[in-house]
């Protein structure tokens, strides 16, 4: 009788170990799958946000007044402060900084560079609304706008480079830019 009891205890213990091992494997598998899906969603979301911002930068440059016209307006109207809005979108980036380690290091550098340039542009736009802007000469104000436009161009270029790097790094995700065909300012590039 002791042998039967021992065999049943051993069988019960073996079944318990098998069940525990199976639940651990299932739990690990679900966590792994969730992690993979989370990474893919992060990549897709960041890609889309950078794409949106990059298109806005392009449209800003495309619609901007030429520098010689702007300088003439500054000379004609010393109180002129052109109205610019900061319409950058950084919600996905800012809410996922702690998850950037899931992305390739070289791509992280490009992403941080792009968003850093967006912040720099924001500061420049904020500076236009400070009283001190009106104390600068017409030539100085024009130079301020030239620097702003140069930074916008640099940021657009950085965005395009980052989008290309995303596409290279994650070919299985089939990342594609979203074009706005009905936008009133669509240029030859399809933005």
């Amino acid at each position: 009788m002791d042998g039967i009891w021992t065999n049943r205890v051993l069988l019960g213990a073996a079944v318990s170990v098998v069940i525990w091992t199976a639940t651990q494997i299932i739990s690990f598998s679900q966590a792994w799958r969730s992690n993979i899906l989370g990474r893919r969603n992060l990549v897709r979301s960041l890609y889309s946000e950078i794409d949106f911002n990059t298109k806005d930068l392009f449209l800003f440059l495309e619609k901007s007044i030429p520098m010689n016209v702007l300088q003439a307006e500054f000379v004609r109207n010393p109180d002129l402060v052109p109205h610019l809005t900061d319409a950058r979108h950084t919600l996905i980036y800012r809410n996922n900084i702690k998850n950037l380690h899931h992305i390739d290091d070289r791509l992280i550098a490009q992403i941080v560079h792009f968003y850093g340039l967006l912040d720099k542009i924001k500061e420049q736009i904020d500076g236009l609304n400070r009283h001190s802007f009106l104390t600068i000469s017409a030539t100085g104000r024009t130079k301020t706008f030239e620097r702003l436009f140069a930074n916008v161009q640099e940021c657009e270029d950085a965005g395009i480079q980052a989008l290309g790097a995303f596409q290279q790094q994650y070919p299985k995700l089939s990342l594609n830019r979203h074009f706005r065909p009905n936008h009133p300012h669509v240029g030859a590039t399809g933005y």
Side-chain angles (χ1 to χ4, degrees), residues 95-112:
N95 287 341
N96 284 288
I97 287 187
K98 67 181 183 287
N99 296 320
L100 287 182
H101 67 279
H102 292 297
I103 294 176
D104 180 71
D105 287 344
R106 289 168 298 189
L107 188 50
I108 290 173
Q110 288 181 300
I111 292 167
V112 170

Side-chain angles (χ1 to χ4, degrees), residues 2 25 31 49 77 102 117 125 127 154 162 185:
D2 279 340
I25 290 171
E49 187 171 74
N77 182 359
H102 292 297
L117 288 170
I125 291 171
E154 181 184 2
H185 300 288

Side-chain angles (χ1 to χ4, degrees), residues 92-165:
I92 293 166
Y93 172 72
R94 294 204 184 281
N95 287 341
N96 284 288
I97 287 187
K98 67 181 183 287
N99 296 320
L100 287 182
H101 67 279
H102 292 297
I103 294 176
D104 180 71
D105 287 344
R106 289 168 298 189
L107 188 50
I108 290 173
Q110 288 181 300
I111 292 167
V112 170
H113 177 73
F114 174 77
Y115 284 99
L117 288 170
L118 279 181
D119 282 342
K120 186 176 185 178
I121 292 165
K122 178 204 179 305
E123 291 302 316
Q124 287 177 302
I125 291 171
D126 289 348
L128 300 176
N129 297 315
R130 293 190 182 105
H131 177 70
S132 60
F133 180 73
L134 292 174
T135 64
I136 302 171
S137 69
T139 302
R141 284 191 243 171
T142 303
K143 294 275 186 215
T144 300
F145 270 86
E146 286 173 351
R147 282 192 301 275
L148 171 64
F149 289 173
N151 286 332
V152 169
Q153 183 64 63
E154 181 184 2
C155 192
E156 180 195 9
D157 294 343
I160 290 168
Q161 289 173 7
L163 294 171

Side-chain angles (χ1 to χ4, degrees), residues 13-174:
V15 168
S16 295
V17 168
V18 168
I19 291 172
W20 179 84
T21 302
T23 59
Q24 294 302 308
I25 290 171
I26 290 169
S27 177
F28 174 78
S29 174
Q30 288 173 335
W32 180 77
R33 179 169 163 69
S34 176
N35 192 16
I36 293 295
L37 291 175
R39 286 180 189 180
R40 288 180 181 168
N41 288 338
L42 174 62
V43 167
R44 283 187 183 109
S45 298
L46 276 171
Y47 181 89
S48 295
E49 187 171 74
I50 292 170
D51 181 35
F52 187 88
N53 283 311
T54 301
K55 280 186 227 116
D56 274 357
L57 294 166
F58 168 81
L59 292 172
F60 172 78
L61 290 170
E62 183 182 67
K63 296 185 309 182
S64 293
I65 298 171
M67 280 299 125
N68 59 342
V69 174
L70 188 60
Q71 183 165 9
E73 285 299 313
F74 284 141
V75 169
R76 194 173 67 73
N77 182 359
D79 294 328
L80 175 66
V81 178
H83 178 72
L84 296 179
T85 56
D86 175 29
R88 68 201 165 101
H89 301 275
T90 61
L91 185 66
I92 293 166
Y93 172 72
R94 294 204 184 281
N95 287 341
N96 284 288
I97 287 187
K98 67 181 183 287
N99 296 320
L100 287 182
H101 67 279
H102 292 297
I103 294 176
D104 180 71
D105 287 344
R106 289 168 298 189
L107 188 50
I108 290 173
Q110 288 181 300
I111 292 167
V112 170
H113 177 73
F114 174 77
Y115 284 99
L117 288 170
L118 279 181
D119 282 342
K120 186 176 185 178
I121 292 165
K122 178 204 179 305
E123 291 302 316
Q124 287 177 302
I125 291 171
D126 289 348
L128 300 176
N129 297 315
R130 293 190 182 105
H131 177 70
S132 60
F133 180 73
L134 292 174
T135 64
I136 302 171
S137 69
T139 302
R141 284 191 243 171
T142 303
K143 294 275 186 215
T144 300
F145 270 86
E146 286 173 351
R147 282 192 301 275
L148 171 64
F149 289 173
N151 286 332
V152 169
Q153 183 64 63
E154 181 184 2
C155 192
E156 180 195 9
D157 294 343
I160 290 168
Q161 289 173 7
L163 294 171
F166 268 107
Q167 291 169 340
Q168 267 188 327
Q169 188 67 33
Y170 302 100
K172 292 181 182 178
L173 296 181
S174 300

